[in-house]
Amino acid sequence: MSRFFTTGSDSESESSLSGEELVTKPVGGNYGKQPLLLSEDEEDTKRVVRSAKDKRFEELTNLIRTIRNAMKIRDVTKCLEEFELLGKAYGKAKSIVDKEGVPRFYIRILADLEDYLNELWEDKEGKKKMNKNNAKALSTLRQKIRKYNRDFESHITSYKQNPEQSADEDAEKNEEDSEGSSDEDEDEDGVSAAAFLKKKSEAPSGESRKFLKKVEDENEDSEDSEDDEEWDTSTTSSETDSEEEEGKQTVLASKFLKKAPATEEDKKAAEKKREDKAKKKHDRKSKRLDEEEEDNEGGEWERVRGGVPLVKEKPKMFAKGTEITHAVVIKKLNEILQARGKKGTDRATQIELLQLLVQIAAENNLGEGVIVKIKFNIIASLYDYNPNLATYMKPEMWQKCLDCINELMDILFANPNIFVGENILEESENLQNFDQPLRVRGCILTLVERMDEEFTKIMQNTDPHSQEYVEHLKDEAQVCAIIERVQRYLEEKGTTEEICRIYLRRILHTYYKFDYKAHQRQLTPPEGSSKSEQDQAENEGEDSAVLMERLCKYIYAKDRTDRIRTCAILCHIYHHALHSRWYQARDLMLMSHLQDNIQHADPPVQILYNRTMVQLGICAFRQGLTKDAHNALLDIQSSGRAKELLGQGLLLRSLQERNQEQEKVERRRQVPFHLHINLELLECVYLVSAMLLEIPYMAAHESDARRRMISKQFHHQLRVGERQPLLGPPESMREHVVAASKAMKMGDWKTCHSFIINEKMNGKVWDLFPEADKVRTMLVRKIQEESLRTYLFTYSSVYDSISMETLSDMFELDLPTVHSIISKMIINEELMASLDQPTQTVVMHRTEPTAQQNLALQLAEKLGSLVENNERVFDHKQGTYGGYFRDQKDGYRKNEGYMRRGGYRQQQSQTAY
C-alpha cells in the first residue's frame, strides 16, 4: 500500500502538531465515498517519488538549460563553468546511460555548443569586443569541447544528419519514459492509480472532465514553453481555498491518473499539434521583430546583441528636414568630440560618425575647410583608438590612418588658399567665407610625427622573423612618401622650425639604408657620356649622400634646438660610415665634440650615438685601420652590454634591477629589427682588431712586468681558451679568433689566415659586408704584416742577421713592404737592429737583456717599490716623528743624522711654512 494513503507525508505529521486531525484511508476503500483530507502544507508542497534515472536526467537538463541561457547572452565564462558541472553530472549518471543509452538531448547540447563556439571563434569583430575573461574562457572551452566530443563523434554525426528527427524521437521517448517511470513507482508501492481509481478513470463525471482537460492543457502549454531537451517536467496548478471539496479530490486524482497508451493516430495528432504551435510561436516572434524594427525607424530604440557593451551617449545625426549648414555641422562635430575620452564611449563608432559627417559635408558642398577640419579630427581619433600607450595600431586602423592623411594632403595641395596651423585659434577660423583664405586649426606636422611613431611601435611589437614583419615593412614606402609630401608642403608654407622637424624625419628614414644604386654608379661609371649627361642622370635619381648633405646642412644652419642638430649630425656620420667615407665621418665626429657632453642627452639620442660609434668602428675596420676600429668599439664591447646600449634588446640580469614601469619605458626605446646591427659581426670585428694589435704587443713585451692590456675582453677569451681541457676544432666565432691568435703568436700566418677566413666565418661574418672580397683581401694583408712583426719580436734573440728576401718569401710579402715594416720598427725603437742595404739583411744588435737579466731587473724594481711602500706606511702611522726625513728629490737627506723626537727642525732662515 502506498504511503501517500496510509500515514501521510512528513509535512502532514508536522501539520498535525498544529491541532489538525489526520484522517487515514483504509486499504481497499472507495476513493469516491471517503474524501482524502490533506493539510494546507501538503497541498502546497507535494512529495513526488522519482526513479534514479529521472533525478539524474533532470539534473542534466537543468544544467543544459543554464548553458543555453548563457549562450543567448554570450556569457562564455558561465558556459565554461556549467559545462564542467555538466561533465561531472554525466559521470554520475554513467551507470544509467550504459543501460538506457546516451540521451538525445545530451548529444544535441554538445553539437550545438561546439557549433556556437566555432561561430564565436570565426567572428573576429565579436572577439575583439569581448572582455578579457570571456576571450580566455572561449579559447579554453573550445579546446575542451573538441576533446570531449571525440567520445561522441558517431552520435553527433547522426544527429547533425537529421536534427529534426532526433528532436521528435527525443520528445516521444521523454513521454514514454515519464509514463513508464510513473508506472514503476506506483507498482513498487503495491497499488497502481489505474487499479485504485478504476471506476473513476473509466467514466469520469462531466465536472471532472473539465478539470482534467484544464490540467492537460496546462501541461501541454508548459511543455511548449520549455526547450526540447527537457526530459519530463510536471506542472502543478494552484488551487484556491474557495473551491469545492469534490473539485479538490478530482484535481488530486488527476495527478495519479495513468495516461492511456498513445495510438498511431494520437501520435500523429500530437505531432501535428506540436508543429502548429511551433509555427504560431515563430510567427509571433517574427511579428514582434518587425514591430521593433518599425519602432527603430523613429531613432528612439535600437536592438543590440547580448554581451556587447552599450554606448552610453551616442550622438544622433541630423533629424529629417534639418538644413545642413556650416554651423550645424560644426555643432555636430563638437557634440561627437565631447564624448571623446569618456568612459563607455565606443571609439570605432566615433570614427564612423566622423566619416559620415565628412560625407554629409561633401554632399552639401560646405567647402574644403570643413572637410579638412573633420579630417584632422578623424586622424586624431584613429590615434586615440588605443588608449594604452604601449599598444600599437591594428592593421585596418593603420591603413585607414595612411589613407586619411593622403586624402588630407591631396586637399591641401589642391587648395593653396587653405592655411592650417596650430597657432590658429578656433575663434579665428575661417571655414565658410571663400572670399578670404580659409584658415583651419590643426598641425599636419604633428600628425605625421605621430604616424611615424606609430609605425615604429608597430615594428617593435611584431615578430621580426615572421612574414607579418615583412608585410608591415612594406608600409615604410608609404610612410616615406607621406613625409616627402609634407616636406614639400612645409617648404612652401611652413616655418623654419617646422622644416627642420620634417627634415629630421626624412633623415631618420634615410641614414641607415645602404644606397646600392649610388654604389653601383660609383663602381661602374657610364663610359662615353659627357659630364653634363652624368650630372643629369644623378639629378634624376638623387643620391642618398647628396640628399643627406642638403638636409643636414639646412639643419646645421637654421636649427635652434640642440637635439635636432645632434640627431642630424649623428645620422650624417652614420651615413658616411655606412658608405665607407671614413675620413668625412671621422672629421665630422671630431668637429662636433659630441663625445664630450653626450652623457647629458636623453636615452634615444645616446642610443643613436652608440650606433654611430659602432658603425664608425666597422667603417675603420673595412679601411684597414685596426687601431681606429678598436678605439671606436672599445667602450661598447668592454661594457658587456652591447645589446642593451644599441637598443636591440634587454639583458636578463638587468631586468631584475628595474621595475615593471621602467621595463616598459626601456622596451619603447628599442630599435626596430630592420635597423639592428649584427652583434656577432660587431664582436668579431672588435676581437680581430684586438688580435692584430695585441699579439705583436705581447710578443714585444713578453718579459715586461709593466705590460698593459690593450683589450681586456680579448685577454679574457684567450684565458677561456687556455682553460679548456680538450681542444677540438673551433666551432664558434670566438674560438676561431682564439685559435688564430695562437697561430699568430708562433708567426704562422697561413694557419691564422685559415682560422679567420674560411667557409664558416664567411657565412657568419665576412659575407655580411657590402664589399666582402675587398675586406677579405685587406684582412690577409694585415695578418701577413702583423705576423711578420710578431715573428721578429719573438725570434730576434735567436738570429744574428736575417735576409729580407727570406722574410718576404716566408710571409708572401713584396720586398718594399718588408723593408718598410722593419724600418718603422727600428725607427720606433721596437727592434734593436740595423739594415745592411747592399746585402738586404737585418743585423741584430743583441742589446736586449736575456731572460735571466729581465727577471733580475723585475725583482729589483719590485723590491724598490716594496721599500717605498713600507716607508710611506710607516711615515703615515708616525706622522712627522721618528725615522728619516725624506727629501723630495734626493731620497734620504745626507749629513742630517738622526733628528730629535719633538717636531720639525727649526731653521733660522725660515720665517714661514
Coordinates of all heavy atoms in Angstrom, one line a residue, residues 392-440:
Y392 N 49.9 49.0 -30.0 CA 50.1 49.6 -31.3 C 48.8 49.5 -32.1 O 47.9 48.7 -31.8 CB 51.2 48.8 -32.0 CG 51.0 47.4 -32.3 CD1 50.5 46.9 -33.5 CD2 51.2 46.4 -31.3 CE1 50.3 45.5 -33.7 CE2 51.0 45.1 -31.5 CZ 50.6 44.7 -32.7 OH 50.4 43.3 -32.9
M393 N 48.7 50.2 -33.2 CA 47.5 50.2 -34.0 C 47.3 48.9 -34.8 O 48.3 48.3 -35.3 CB 47.6 51.4 -35.0 CG 47.6 52.8 -34.4 SD 47.7 54.1 -35.6 CE 46.1 54.1 -36.3
K394 N 46.1 48.5 -34.9 CA 45.7 47.3 -35.7 C 45.9 47.7 -37.2 O 45.8 48.8 -37.6 CB 44.3 46.9 -35.4 CG 44.1 46.5 -33.9 CD 44.9 45.3 -33.6 CE 44.7 44.8 -32.2 NZ 45.3 45.7 -31.2
P395 N 46.1 46.6 -38.0 CA 46.4 46.9 -39.4 C 45.3 47.7 -40.1 O 45.6 48.6 -40.9 CB 46.5 45.5 -40.0 CG 47.0 44.6 -38.8 CD 46.3 45.2 -37.6
E396 N 44.1 47.4 -39.8 CA 43.0 48.1 -40.5 C 43.0 49.6 -40.1 O 42.8 50.4 -41.0 CB 41.6 47.4 -40.3 CG 41.2 47.3 -38.8 CD 41.7 46.0 -38.2 OE1 42.5 45.3 -38.8 OE2 41.2 45.7 -37.1
M397 N 43.2 49.8 -38.8 CA 43.2 51.2 -38.4 C 44.4 52.0 -39.0 O 44.4 53.1 -39.3 CB 43.3 51.3 -36.8 CG 42.0 50.9 -36.2 SD 40.6 52.0 -36.6 CE 39.2 51.2 -35.9
W398 N 45.6 51.2 -39.0 CA 46.8 51.8 -39.6 C 46.6 52.2 -41.1 O 47.0 53.3 -41.5 CB 47.9 50.9 -39.4 CG 49.2 51.2 -40.2 CD1 49.7 50.5 -41.2 CD2 50.1 52.3 -39.9 NE1 50.9 51.1 -41.7 CE2 51.1 52.2 -40.9 CE3 50.1 53.3 -39.0 CZ2 52.2 53.1 -40.9 CZ3 51.1 54.3 -39.1 CH2 52.1 54.1 -40.0
Q399 N 45.9 51.3 -41.8 CA 45.7 51.6 -43.2 C 44.7 52.8 -43.4 O 44.9 53.6 -44.3 CB 45.1 50.4 -43.9 CG 45.2 50.4 -45.4 CD 46.6 50.6 -45.9 OE1 47.6 50.0 -45.5 NE2 46.8 51.6 -46.9
K400 N 43.7 52.8 -42.5 CA 42.8 54.0 -42.5 C 43.5 55.3 -42.3 O 43.2 56.3 -42.9 CB 41.7 53.8 -41.5 CG 40.5 52.9 -41.9 CD 39.5 52.9 -40.7 CE 38.4 51.9 -41.0 NZ 37.4 51.9 -39.9
C401 N 44.4 55.2 -41.3 CA 45.2 56.4 -41.0 C 46.0 56.9 -42.2 O 46.0 58.1 -42.5 CB 46.1 56.1 -39.8 SG 47.1 57.5 -39.2
L402 N 46.7 56.0 -42.8 CA 47.5 56.4 -44.0 C 46.7 57.0 -45.1 O 47.0 58.0 -45.7 CB 48.3 55.2 -44.5 CG 49.4 54.6 -43.6 CD1 50.1 53.4 -44.3 CD2 50.5 55.6 -43.3
D403 N 45.5 56.3 -45.4 CA 44.6 56.8 -46.4 C 44.1 58.2 -46.1 O 44.0 59.1 -47.0 CB 43.5 55.8 -46.6 CG 43.9 54.5 -47.1 OD1 45.1 54.4 -47.7 OD2 43.2 53.5 -47.0
C404 N 43.7 58.4 -44.8 CA 43.2 59.7 -44.4 C 44.2 60.8 -44.5 O 43.9 61.9 -45.0 CB 42.7 59.6 -43.0 SG 41.4 60.8 -42.5
I405 N 45.5 60.5 -44.2 CA 46.5 61.6 -44.3 C 46.8 61.9 -45.7 O 46.9 63.1 -46.1 CB 47.8 61.1 -43.6 CG1 47.6 61.0 -42.1 CG2 48.9 62.0 -43.8 CD1 48.7 60.4 -41.3
N406 N 46.8 60.9 -46.6 CA 46.9 61.1 -48.0 C 45.8 61.9 -48.6 O 46.0 62.9 -49.4 CB 47.0 59.8 -48.8 CG 48.4 59.2 -48.8 OD1 49.4 60.0 -48.9 ND2 48.6 57.9 -48.6
E407 N 44.6 61.6 -48.2 CA 43.4 62.4 -48.6 C 43.5 63.9 -48.2 O 43.3 64.8 -48.9 CB 42.1 61.8 -48.1 CG 41.8 60.5 -48.7 CD 40.6 59.8 -48.0 OE1 40.0 60.4 -47.1 OE2 40.3 58.6 -48.3
L408 N 44.0 64.1 -46.9 CA 44.2 65.4 -46.4 C 45.2 66.2 -47.2 O 45.0 67.4 -47.5 CB 44.5 65.3 -44.9 CG 44.7 66.6 -44.1 CD1 43.4 67.4 -44.2 CD2 45.1 66.4 -42.7
M409 N 46.3 65.5 -47.5 CA 47.4 66.2 -48.3 C 46.9 66.5 -49.7 O 47.3 67.6 -50.2 CB 48.6 65.3 -48.3 CG 49.3 65.1 -47.0 SD 49.7 66.6 -46.1 CE 50.7 67.5 -47.3
D410 N 46.1 65.6 -50.3 CA 45.5 65.9 -51.6 C 44.7 67.2 -51.5 O 44.8 68.1 -52.4 CB 44.6 64.8 -52.1 CG 45.5 63.5 -52.4 OD1 46.7 63.7 -52.6 OD2 44.9 62.4 -52.3
I411 N 43.9 67.4 -50.5 CA 43.1 68.6 -50.4 C 43.9 69.8 -50.2 O 43.7 70.9 -50.8 CB 42.1 68.4 -49.2 CG1 41.1 67.3 -49.5 CG2 41.3 69.7 -49.0 CD1 40.2 66.9 -48.3
L412 N 45.0 69.7 -49.4 CA 45.8 70.9 -49.1 C 46.6 71.3 -50.3 O 46.8 72.5 -50.6 CB 46.8 70.6 -47.9 CG 46.1 70.4 -46.6 CD1 47.2 70.0 -45.5 CD2 45.4 71.7 -46.1
F413 N 47.1 70.3 -51.1 CA 47.8 70.6 -52.3 C 46.9 71.2 -53.4 O 47.3 72.1 -54.2 CB 48.5 69.4 -52.9 CG 49.9 69.2 -52.2 CD1 50.1 68.0 -51.5 CD2 50.9 70.1 -52.4 CE1 51.3 67.8 -50.9 CE2 52.1 69.9 -51.8 CZ 52.4 68.7 -51.0
A414 N 45.6 70.7 -53.5 CA 44.7 71.1 -54.5 C 44.1 72.5 -54.1 O 43.6 73.2 -55.0 CB 43.5 70.1 -54.6
N415 N 44.2 72.9 -52.9 CA 43.6 74.2 -52.5 C 44.7 75.0 -51.7 O 44.8 75.0 -50.5 CB 42.4 74.0 -51.5 CG 41.3 73.2 -52.2 OD1 40.4 73.8 -52.8 ND2 41.3 71.9 -52.0
P416 N 45.5 75.8 -52.5 CA 46.5 76.6 -51.9 C 46.0 77.7 -51.0 O 46.8 78.2 -50.2 CB 47.3 77.2 -53.1 CG 46.9 76.4 -54.3 CD 45.5 75.9 -54.0
N417 N 44.7 78.0 -51.1 CA 44.2 79.1 -50.2 C 43.8 78.6 -48.8 O 43.3 79.4 -48.0 CB 42.9 79.7 -50.9 CG 41.8 78.7 -51.1 OD1 42.1 77.5 -51.2 ND2 40.6 79.1 -51.0
I418 N 44.0 77.3 -48.5 CA 43.7 76.8 -47.2 C 45.0 76.9 -46.4 O 46.0 76.3 -46.8 CB 43.2 75.4 -47.2 CG1 41.9 75.3 -48.0 CG2 43.0 74.8 -45.8 CD1 41.3 73.9 -48.1
F419 N 44.9 77.5 -45.2 CA 46.1 77.6 -44.3 C 45.8 76.9 -43.0 O 44.7 77.1 -42.4 CB 46.4 79.1 -44.0 CG 46.9 79.8 -45.2 CD1 46.1 80.5 -46.0 CD2 48.3 79.9 -45.5 CE1 46.6 81.2 -47.1 CE2 48.8 80.6 -46.5 CZ 47.9 81.3 -47.4
V420 N 46.7 76.0 -42.7 CA 46.5 75.2 -41.4 C 47.7 75.5 -40.5 O 48.8 75.8 -40.9 CB 46.4 73.7 -41.7 CG1 45.2 73.4 -42.5 CG2 47.6 73.2 -42.4
G421 N 47.4 75.5 -39.2 CA 48.4 75.7 -38.2 C 47.9 75.6 -36.8 O 46.7 75.8 -36.6
E422 N 48.8 75.2 -35.9 CA 48.3 75.0 -34.5 C 48.2 76.4 -33.8 O 47.7 76.4 -32.7 CB 49.3 74.1 -33.8 CG 50.7 74.5 -33.8 CD 51.7 73.5 -33.2 OE1 51.1 72.5 -32.6 OE2 52.9 73.7 -33.3
N423 N 48.8 77.4 -34.4 CA 48.7 78.8 -33.8 C 47.4 79.5 -34.2 O 47.1 80.6 -33.7 CB 49.9 79.6 -34.2 CG 50.0 79.7 -35.7 OD1 49.4 79.0 -36.5 ND2 50.9 80.6 -36.2
I424 N 46.6 78.9 -35.0 CA 45.3 79.5 -35.4 C 44.2 79.1 -34.3 O 44.0 77.9 -34.1 CB 44.8 79.0 -36.8 CG1 45.8 79.4 -37.9 CG2 43.4 79.5 -37.1 CD1 45.5 78.8 -39.2
L425 N 43.6 80.1 -33.7 CA 42.6 79.8 -32.7 C 41.3 79.4 -33.3 O 41.0 79.8 -34.5 CB 42.4 81.1 -31.8 CG 43.6 81.6 -31.1 CD1 43.3 82.9 -30.4 CD2 44.2 80.5 -30.1
E426 N 40.5 78.7 -32.6 CA 39.2 78.2 -33.1 C 38.3 79.4 -33.4 O 37.5 79.4 -34.3 CB 38.5 77.3 -32.1 CG 39.2 75.9 -32.0 CD 38.4 74.9 -31.3 OE1 37.3 75.3 -30.9 OE2 38.9 73.8 -31.1
E427 N 38.5 80.5 -32.6 CA 37.6 81.7 -32.8 C 38.0 82.4 -34.1 O 37.1 83.1 -34.8 CB 37.8 82.7 -31.7 CG 37.2 82.2 -30.3 CD 38.2 81.2 -29.6 OE1 39.3 81.1 -30.1 OE2 37.8 80.6 -28.7
S428 N 39.2 82.3 -34.5 CA 39.7 83.0 -35.8 C 39.7 82.1 -37.0 O 40.2 82.5 -38.0 CB 41.1 83.5 -35.5 OG 42.0 82.5 -35.3
E429 N 39.1 80.9 -36.9 CA 39.0 80.0 -38.1 C 38.0 80.6 -39.1 O 37.0 81.2 -38.8 CB 38.5 78.6 -37.7 CG 39.5 77.8 -37.0 CD 39.0 76.4 -36.7 OE1 37.8 76.3 -36.4 OE2 39.8 75.5 -36.6
N430 N 38.4 80.4 -40.4 CA 37.5 80.8 -41.5 C 37.2 79.6 -42.3 O 38.1 79.1 -43.0 CB 38.2 81.9 -42.3 CG 37.4 82.3 -43.5 OD1 36.1 82.1 -43.5 ND2 38.0 82.8 -44.6
L431 N 36.0 79.0 -42.1 CA 35.6 77.8 -42.8 C 34.6 78.0 -43.9 O 34.4 77.1 -44.8 CB 35.0 76.8 -41.8 CG 35.9 76.4 -40.6 CD1 35.1 75.5 -39.7 CD2 37.1 75.8 -41.1
Q432 N 33.9 79.2 -44.0 CA 32.9 79.4 -45.0 C 33.0 80.6 -45.8 O 32.3 80.7 -46.8 CB 31.5 79.4 -44.2 CG 31.5 80.4 -43.1 CD 30.2 80.3 -42.3 OE1 29.3 79.6 -42.7 NE2 30.1 81.0 -41.1
N433 N 33.8 81.6 -45.4 CA 34.0 82.8 -46.2 C 35.0 82.5 -47.3 O 36.2 82.6 -47.1 CB 34.4 84.0 -45.3 CG 34.4 85.3 -46.1 OD1 34.1 85.3 -47.3 ND2 34.7 86.4 -45.4
F434 N 34.6 82.2 -48.5 CA 35.5 81.8 -49.6 C 36.2 83.0 -50.2 O 37.1 82.8 -51.0 CB 34.8 81.0 -50.6 CG 34.2 79.7 -50.1 CD1 32.8 79.6 -49.8 CD2 35.0 78.6 -49.7 CE1 32.3 78.5 -49.3 CE2 34.4 77.5 -49.2 CZ 33.1 77.4 -49.0
D435 N 35.7 84.2 -49.9 CA 36.4 85.4 -50.5 C 37.8 85.6 -49.9 O 38.7 86.2 -50.5 CB 35.6 86.7 -50.3 CG 34.2 86.5 -51.0 OD1 34.1 85.8 -52.0 OD2 33.2 87.1 -50.5
Q436 N 38.0 85.1 -48.6 CA 39.2 85.2 -48.0 C 39.9 83.8 -47.8 O 39.2 82.8 -48.0 CB 39.0 85.8 -46.5 CG 38.4 87.2 -46.5 CD 38.2 87.7 -45.1 OE1 38.4 87.0 -44.2 NE2 37.7 89.0 -45.0
P437 N 41.2 83.8 -47.6 CA 41.8 82.5 -47.4 C 41.2 81.7 -46.2 O 40.9 82.3 -45.2 CB 43.3 82.8 -47.1 CG 43.5 84.2 -47.7 CD 42.1 84.9 -47.6
L438 N 41.0 80.4 -46.4 CA 40.4 79.6 -45.4 C 41.5 79.3 -44.4 O 42.6 78.9 -44.7 CB 39.9 78.3 -46.0 CG 38.7 78.5 -47.0 CD1 38.4 77.1 -47.6 CD2 37.5 79.1 -46.4
R439 N 41.1 79.4 -43.1 CA 42.0 79.2 -42.0 C 41.5 78.1 -41.1 O 40.3 78.2 -40.6 CB 42.3 80.4 -41.2 CG 43.0 81.5 -42.0 CD 42.8 82.9 -41.2 NE 43.3 82.9 -39.9 CZ 44.6 83.0 -39.6 NH1 45.5 83.3 -40.5 NH2 45.0 83.0 -38.3
V440 N 42.2 77.0 -40.9 CA 41.8 75.8 -40.1 C 42.8 75.5 -39.1 O 44.0 75.5 -39.3 CB 41.6 74.6 -41.0 CG1 41.1 73.4 -40.2 CG2 40.7 74.9 -42.2

